[in-house]
Amino acid sequence: MIRTSDDLEAQLGRLGRRYERHPDGTFVLSLGANQPPAALLLVPPVLVVQVAIGPAPKSDVAAAPVYKKLLELNASALLHAAFGLENDQIVLAAALELESLDLNELEAVLADIDVALGEHVPVLRAMVQTAS
């Protein structure tokens, strides 16, 4: 079970994940070359995992196809995480309940994010670039 920052640190070590632990309690997790990092933060009763993907299109008209794609990916391609918007940025996020969080669930969420970054984010970035 993961209940504390020390527990999270131990589990990330067991998964062989590289990370930095910041004084504010945030874990910044490396997701590989040319990939943005994930921020993990224990905010009881959940562990929040978030990856900043990039800016959303500025024009509402240009943004519509991008937002449609985000919703389609949320419905069909992601099991544990979801795309969303935060302060005009596209993010990929998950919230995991600490009460039942174990190594397998953490590993599944990180794998879901890895797949999204490898397969879906390049498509989204191309769509945003075309829309801008």
Side-chain angles (χ1 to χ4, degrees):
M1 294 277 234
I2 299 172
R3 295 189 191 270
T4 67
S5 292
D6 290 338
D7 295 339
L8 178 57
E9 188 167 23
Q11 298 299 5
L12 291 173
R14 288 184 69 196
L15 292 173
R17 295 287 188 147
R18 293 184 346 192
Y19 63 89
E20 291 179 27
R21 187 173 177 177
H22 291 236
D24 69 356
T26 302
F27 288 78
V28 178
L29 184 67
S30 173
L31 297 175
N34 302 318
Q35 297 295 1
L40 287 73
L41 184 62
L42 285 166
V43 185
V46 297
L47 169 66
V48 177
V49 181
Q50 185 168 310
V51 180
I53 303 303
K58 292 181 176 30
S59 158
D60 288 343
V61 173
V66 175
Y67 295 163
K68 180 180 180 198
K69 184 67 172 176
L70 292 173
L71 290 171
E72 289 170 350
L73 290 170
N74 284 348
S76 64
L78 296 168
L79 296 173
H80 304 284
F83 287 106
L85 295 176
E86 183 177 281
N87 300 323
D88 297 324
Q89 292 286 313
I90 298 170
V91 298
L92 182 58
L96 307 162
E97 188 175 358
L98 291 174
E99 181 75 23
S100 60
L101 181 57
D102 62 15
L103 182 64
N104 292 332
E105 187 176 8
L106 178 61
E107 185 174 32
V109 167
L110 295 176
D112 201 29
I113 289 172
D114 287 337
V115 169
L117 290 174
E119 293 182 13
H120 310 304
V121 170
V123 172
L124 291 169
R125 286 186 173 151
M127 290 178 73
V128 169
Q129 188 172 27
T130 301
S132 297

mmCIF file of all heavy atoms in Angstrom, residues 3 8 21 32 34 37 45 49 51 72 76 82 86 88 118 120 128-129 132:
data_model
loop_
_atom_site.group_PDB
_atom_site.id
_atom_site.type_symbol
_atom_site.label_atom_id
_atom_site.label_comp_id
_atom_site.label_asym_id
_atom_site.label_seq_id
_atom_site.Cartn_x
_atom_site.Cartn_y
_atom_site.Cartn_z
ATOM 1 N N ARG A 3 0.853 4.999 1.174
ATOM 2 C CA ARG A 3 0.140 5.955 2.025
ATOM 3 C C ARG A 3 0.962 7.217 2.293
ATOM 4 O O ARG A 3 0.419 8.248 2.623
ATOM 5 C CB ARG A 3 -0.237 5.310 3.346
ATOM 6 C CG ARG A 3 -1.219 4.179 3.193
ATOM 7 C CD ARG A 3 -1.713 3.720 4.553
ATOM 8 N NE ARG A 3 -2.442 2.487 4.437
ATOM 9 C CZ ARG A 3 -3.756 2.417 4.222
ATOM 10 N NH1 ARG A 3 -4.461 3.496 4.100
ATOM 11 N NH2 ARG A 3 -4.348 1.244 4.138
ATOM 12 N N LEU A 8 5.666 5.871 -1.544
ATOM 13 C CA LEU A 8 5.679 6.141 -2.982
ATOM 14 C C LEU A 8 7.095 6.031 -3.526
ATOM 15 O O LEU A 8 7.319 5.416 -4.575
ATOM 16 C CB LEU A 8 5.092 7.526 -3.274
ATOM 17 C CG LEU A 8 5.099 7.961 -4.735
ATOM 18 C CD1 LEU A 8 4.353 6.978 -5.628
ATOM 19 C CD2 LEU A 8 4.499 9.364 -4.861
ATOM 20 N N ARG A 21 12.777 13.897 -6.041
ATOM 21 C CA ARG A 21 11.829 14.234 -4.979
ATOM 22 C C ARG A 21 12.098 15.672 -4.564
ATOM 23 O O ARG A 21 13.180 16.005 -4.103
ATOM 24 C CB ARG A 21 12.015 13.276 -3.799
ATOM 25 C CG ARG A 21 10.974 13.446 -2.725
ATOM 26 C CD ARG A 21 11.119 12.352 -1.685
ATOM 27 N NE ARG A 21 10.172 12.544 -0.606
ATOM 28 C CZ ARG A 21 10.033 11.718 0.413
ATOM 29 N NH1 ARG A 21 10.772 10.623 0.488
ATOM 30 N NH2 ARG A 21 9.157 11.959 1.361
ATOM 31 N N GLY A 32 11.200 9.123 -20.016
ATOM 32 C CA GLY A 32 12.007 8.722 -21.159
ATOM 33 C C GLY A 32 12.454 9.893 -21.993
ATOM 34 O O GLY A 32 11.989 11.027 -21.830
ATOM 35 N N ASN A 34 12.910 12.558 -24.753
ATOM 36 C CA ASN A 34 11.976 13.357 -25.564
ATOM 37 C C ASN A 34 10.532 13.301 -25.069
ATOM 38 O O ASN A 34 9.613 13.549 -25.844
ATOM 39 C CB ASN A 34 12.048 12.943 -27.032
ATOM 40 C CG ASN A 34 13.435 13.100 -27.601
ATOM 41 O OD1 ASN A 34 14.115 14.100 -27.335
ATOM 42 N ND2 ASN A 34 13.876 12.127 -28.364
ATOM 43 N N PRO A 37 8.114 15.136 -18.326
ATOM 44 C CA PRO A 37 8.062 14.383 -17.068
ATOM 45 C C PRO A 37 6.645 14.358 -16.492
ATOM 46 O O PRO A 37 5.800 15.174 -16.861
ATOM 47 C CB PRO A 37 9.000 15.167 -16.155
ATOM 48 C CG PRO A 37 8.888 16.576 -16.666
ATOM 49 C CD PRO A 37 8.719 16.452 -18.160
ATOM 50 N N PRO A 45 -7.077 12.290 0.047
ATOM 51 C CA PRO A 45 -7.008 10.823 -0.028
ATOM 52 C C PRO A 45 -6.554 10.275 -1.382
ATOM 53 O O PRO A 45 -6.833 9.115 -1.686
ATOM 54 C CB PRO A 45 -8.453 10.417 0.253
ATOM 55 C CG PRO A 45 -9.254 11.511 -0.396
ATOM 56 C CD PRO A 45 -8.444 12.776 -0.167
ATOM 57 N N VAL A 49 -1.364 12.268 -10.463
ATOM 58 C CA VAL A 49 -0.314 12.123 -11.468
ATOM 59 C C VAL A 49 -0.695 13.030 -12.630
ATOM 60 O O VAL A 49 -1.826 12.953 -13.124
ATOM 61 C CB VAL A 49 -0.197 10.665 -11.969
ATOM 62 C CG1 VAL A 49 0.921 10.526 -12.985
ATOM 63 C CG2 VAL A 49 -0.024 9.702 -10.805
ATOM 64 N N VAL A 51 0.854 15.099 -16.348
ATOM 65 C CA VAL A 51 1.870 15.386 -17.349
ATOM 66 C C VAL A 51 1.368 16.555 -18.187
ATOM 67 O O VAL A 51 0.253 16.504 -18.718
ATOM 68 C CB VAL A 51 2.116 14.169 -18.275
ATOM 69 C CG1 VAL A 51 3.181 14.492 -19.315
ATOM 70 C CG2 VAL A 51 2.483 12.941 -17.472
ATOM 71 N N GLU A 72 -12.337 11.654 -27.673
ATOM 72 C CA GLU A 72 -12.326 10.315 -28.266
ATOM 73 C C GLU A 72 -11.258 9.438 -27.617
ATOM 74 O O GLU A 72 -11.510 8.261 -27.326
ATOM 75 C CB GLU A 72 -12.082 10.415 -29.774
ATOM 76 C CG GLU A 72 -13.247 10.988 -30.543
ATOM 77 C CD GLU A 72 -12.924 11.303 -31.992
ATOM 78 O OE1 GLU A 72 -11.749 11.261 -32.395
ATOM 79 O OE2 GLU A 72 -13.882 11.617 -32.735
ATOM 80 N N SER A 76 -11.760 5.904 -25.642
ATOM 81 C CA SER A 76 -11.392 4.654 -26.307
ATOM 82 C C SER A 76 -9.964 4.173 -26.068
ATOM 83 O O SER A 76 -9.685 2.987 -26.237
ATOM 84 C CB SER A 76 -11.595 4.807 -27.817
ATOM 85 O OG SER A 76 -10.705 5.795 -28.322
ATOM 86 N N ALA A 82 -6.673 10.484 -18.103
ATOM 87 C CA ALA A 82 -7.537 11.219 -19.028
ATOM 88 C C ALA A 82 -6.862 12.516 -19.427
ATOM 89 O O ALA A 82 -6.119 13.114 -18.648
ATOM 90 C CB ALA A 82 -8.887 11.518 -18.373
ATOM 91 N N GLU A 86 -5.910 22.601 -18.375
ATOM 92 C CA GLU A 86 -5.625 23.338 -17.152
ATOM 93 C C GLU A 86 -4.861 24.594 -17.540
ATOM 94 O O GLU A 86 -3.745 24.511 -18.066
ATOM 95 C CB GLU A 86 -4.791 22.486 -16.193
ATOM 96 C CG GLU A 86 -4.527 23.180 -14.873
ATOM 97 C CD GLU A 86 -3.766 22.292 -13.921
ATOM 98 O OE1 GLU A 86 -4.411 21.413 -13.300
ATOM 99 O OE2 GLU A 86 -2.548 22.473 -13.802
ATOM 100 N N ASP A 88 -5.181 26.743 -20.015
ATOM 101 C CA ASP A 88 -4.854 26.761 -21.445
ATOM 102 C C ASP A 88 -3.756 25.779 -21.841
ATOM 103 O O ASP A 88 -3.126 25.926 -22.876
ATOM 104 C CB ASP A 88 -4.483 28.178 -21.911
ATOM 105 C CG ASP A 88 -5.638 29.157 -21.761
ATOM 106 O OD1 ASP A 88 -6.796 28.729 -21.969
ATOM 107 O OD2 ASP A 88 -5.396 30.320 -21.435
ATOM 108 N N GLY A 118 3.550 8.019 -26.110
ATOM 109 C CA GLY A 118 4.187 7.466 -27.300
ATOM 110 C C GLY A 118 3.294 7.432 -28.524
ATOM 111 O O GLY A 118 3.747 7.679 -29.638
ATOM 112 N N HIS A 120 -0.333 8.779 -28.741
ATOM 113 C CA HIS A 120 -1.375 9.773 -28.963
ATOM 114 C C HIS A 120 -0.882 11.215 -28.937
ATOM 115 O O HIS A 120 -1.394 12.059 -29.662
ATOM 116 C CB HIS A 120 -2.493 9.592 -27.929
ATOM 117 C CG HIS A 120 -2.966 8.183 -27.824
ATOM 118 N ND1 HIS A 120 -3.439 7.468 -28.897
ATOM 119 C CD2 HIS A 120 -2.996 7.333 -26.777
ATOM 120 C CE1 HIS A 120 -3.760 6.256 -28.518
ATOM 121 N NE2 HIS A 120 -3.492 6.142 -27.234
ATOM 122 N N VAL A 128 -2.511 20.382 -32.933
ATOM 123 C CA VAL A 128 -2.416 21.715 -32.340
ATOM 124 C C VAL A 128 -1.572 22.623 -33.223
ATOM 125 O O VAL A 128 -1.930 23.776 -33.446
ATOM 126 C CB VAL A 128 -1.817 21.641 -30.913
ATOM 127 C CG1 VAL A 128 -1.454 23.016 -30.396
ATOM 128 C CG2 VAL A 128 -2.791 20.951 -29.967
ATOM 129 N N GLN A 129 -0.487 22.097 -33.759
ATOM 130 C CA GLN A 129 0.382 22.896 -34.624
ATOM 131 C C GLN A 129 -0.375 23.321 -35.885
ATOM 132 O O GLN A 129 -0.281 24.468 -36.314
ATOM 133 C CB GLN A 129 1.635 22.118 -34.988
ATOM 134 C CG GLN A 129 2.664 22.946 -35.709
ATOM 135 C CD GLN A 129 3.963 22.199 -35.881
ATOM 136 O OE1 GLN A 129 3.989 20.976 -35.934
ATOM 137 N NE2 GLN A 129 5.051 22.936 -35.985
ATOM 138 N N SER A 132 -2.838 26.100 -35.083
ATOM 139 C CA SER A 132 -2.289 27.415 -34.671
ATOM 140 C C SER A 132 -1.865 28.262 -35.839
ATOM 141 O O SER A 132 -1.639 27.915 -36.897
ATOM 142 C CB SER A 132 -1.087 27.202 -33.759
ATOM 143 O OG SER A 132 -1.512 26.542 -32.590
#
